[in-house]
């Protein structure tokens, strides 16, 4: 079974983290929700007040995952950027050629800060673009299959981003089926 680690931190963007988790679950991916917080804590408060109890603390996520996904939100992205455990997992993920997904502030603040984008095509929230994203794109969602990287611009693209993650993991047919079941317009494309 395909697996995904979805990172939840205090200040993560509510709609982004929810869309990622929901759509991957609908597509049959086994999702592990991880709190990027001090050791042992599994409850976080998202950017717009949703209080979420995750499956595990990031320190307890010792398995390998087919995808590690990081939502945006300024405070949430900063927490992810500063979490040594998560950064080490992301570096191992990249080195193993497994997928990484990041949306909104996360591509610039988390991935770019730690050299995890390289020459890949990527996007992110325009105000959070850093000069180290060499091939920055203005598209809402960008998949660089060679780099095993999926990025998105922000909350308005949360569903498209999550569907792109699902397509990367399970293929276009599964992503289209999930999109159609949600009455999402990309299913007609």
């Amino acid at each position: 079974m395909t697996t995904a680690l979805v990172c939840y931190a205090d200040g993560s963007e509510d709609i982004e983290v929810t869309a990622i988790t929901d759509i991957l679950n609908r597509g049959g991916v086994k999702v592990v929700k991880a709190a990027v917080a001090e050791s042992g804590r599994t409850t976080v408060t998202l950017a717009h007040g949703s209080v979420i109890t995750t499956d595990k603390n990031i320190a307890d996520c010792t398995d390998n995952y087919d995808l590690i996904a990081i939502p945006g939100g300024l405070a949430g992205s900063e927490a992810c950027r500063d979490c040594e455990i998560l950064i080490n997992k992301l570096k191992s993920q990249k080195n193993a050629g497994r997928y990484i997904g990041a949306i909104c502030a996360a591509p610039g603040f988390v991935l770019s800060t730690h050299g995890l984008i390289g020459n890949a095509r990527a996007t992110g929230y325009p105000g959070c673009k850093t000069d180290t994203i060499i091939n920055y794109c203005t598209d809402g969602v960008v998949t660089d299959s060679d780099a095993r990287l999926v990025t998105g611009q922000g909350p308005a693209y949360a569903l498209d981003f999550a569907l792109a993650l699902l397509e990367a993991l399970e293929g276009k047919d599964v992503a289209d089926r999930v999109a159609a079941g949600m009455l999402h317009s990309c299913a007609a494309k």
Side-chain angles (χ1 to χ4, degrees), residues 70-130:
I70 308 163
L74 181 58
S77 293
E78 289 173 337
C80 289
R81 175 197 66 205
D82 298 340
C83 178
E84 185 176 343
I85 293 168
L86 175 58
I87 298 310
N88 287 335
K89 289 185 99 28
L90 289 167
K91 288 178 180 178
S92 294
Q93 186 83 354
K94 180 178 174 63
N95 290 337
R98 293 186 298 263
Y99 271 98
I100 295 173
I103 186 170
C104 196
F109 287 172
V110 181
L111 302 184
S112 182
T113 296
H114 292 283
L116 293 165
I117 294 179
N119 290 328
R121 291 180 64 244
T123 194
Y125 196 82
C128 299
K129 176 188 173 291
T130 65

Side-chain angles (χ1 to χ4, degrees), residues 20-72:
I20 295 166
T21 300
D22 180 76
I23 287 174
L24 291 177
N25 276 322
R26 288 175 191 247
V29 175
K30 181 182 181 211
V31 175
V32 174
K33 298 179 288 187
V36 178
E38 61 269 2
S39 184
R41 186 160 66 99
T42 58
T43 301
V44 297
T45 302
L46 302 179
H48 300 284
S50 300
V51 177
I52 303 292
T53 299
T54 64
D55 302 315
K56 296 180 175 187
N57 182 277
I58 191 71
D60 300 321
C61 297
T62 57
D63 295 332
N64 291 322
Y65 301 92
D66 297 295
L67 165 72
I68 298 176
I70 308 163

